Amino acid sequence: MRRILAVLAFLPFLFSIAAHAGDEVAAQATIDAQLKAFLAGDNAGAYSYAAPNVKQIFPTVDTFMSMVANGYRPVQKPQSYSFGKFEWTGDGKIAQQVLLVGPDGKDYEALYTLELQPDGVWRITGVSLRAANTLST
């Protein structure tokens, strides 16, 4: 009986881990779709992955793309990218590290923040970009 109670007490923890794993996959899918839209020149598609807070600041596709082109070129035109660390930061909020090789051939680190929307979809609330601290050999 004790073993059954111990297993039952542990189940919520296991379900929590599974839920977070699903969030990680969904968040990465959102980021991946936006990066692919940028690479395809689908500006409206890329804009569609932005959260309402971003769309309030950049209310049109053109203003959004101007911001991206002027400050986030490695995100707009990566030669390659891969996902790094994932972190659950709070209720319905996550952070996802993306490692990029920019159009200039240099390494960058982008830290994406995403928020779960009322419709159950993850949208990008912000991106912090910096040159990566990597050593070339």
Side-chain angles (χ1 to χ4, degrees):
M1 183 66 165
R2 283 187 179 161
R3 287 183 185 169
I4 293 172
L5 290 175
V7 169
L8 291 175
F10 193 63
L11 282 177
F13 175 73
L14 291 176
F15 288 129
S16 174
I17 290 172
H20 288 292
D23 292 336
E24 182 175 0
V25 169
Q28 289 177 356
T30 295
I31 295 166
D32 184 59
Q34 186 182 59
L35 291 170
K36 286 179 178 172
F38 282 139
L39 287 168
D42 180 5
N43 297 345
Y47 184 66
S48 73
Y49 296 101
N53 69 307
V54 175
K55 290 180 176 181
Q56 185 175 6
I57 297 167
F58 303 100
T60 68
V61 172
D62 290 339
T63 58
F64 174 76
M65 289 309 301
S66 178
M67 174 272 299
V68 171
N70 289 321
Y72 295 88
R73 195 79 171 141
V75 170
Q76 183 184 21
K77 298 288 183 188
Q79 291 182 23
S80 65
Y81 59 92
S82 62
F83 294 103
K85 294 187 296 184
F86 169 87
E87 182 180 351
W88 182 262
T89 60
D91 187 34
K93 297 178 183 178
I94 60 171
Q96 174 66 60
Q97 177 191 46
V98 179
L99 306 170
L100 306 143
V101 176
D104 57 3
K106 295 180 182 176
D107 294 332
Y108 294 88
E109 176 186 355
L111 182 62
Y112 280 76
T113 55
L114 297 93
E115 187 171 53
L116 188 61
Q117 302 303 301
D119 63 359
V121 176
W122 288 98
R123 290 291 177 243
I124 299 165
T125 58
V127 179
S128 174
L129 181 68
R130 68 178 183 92
N133 295 327
T134 58
L135 298 174
S136 297
T137 56

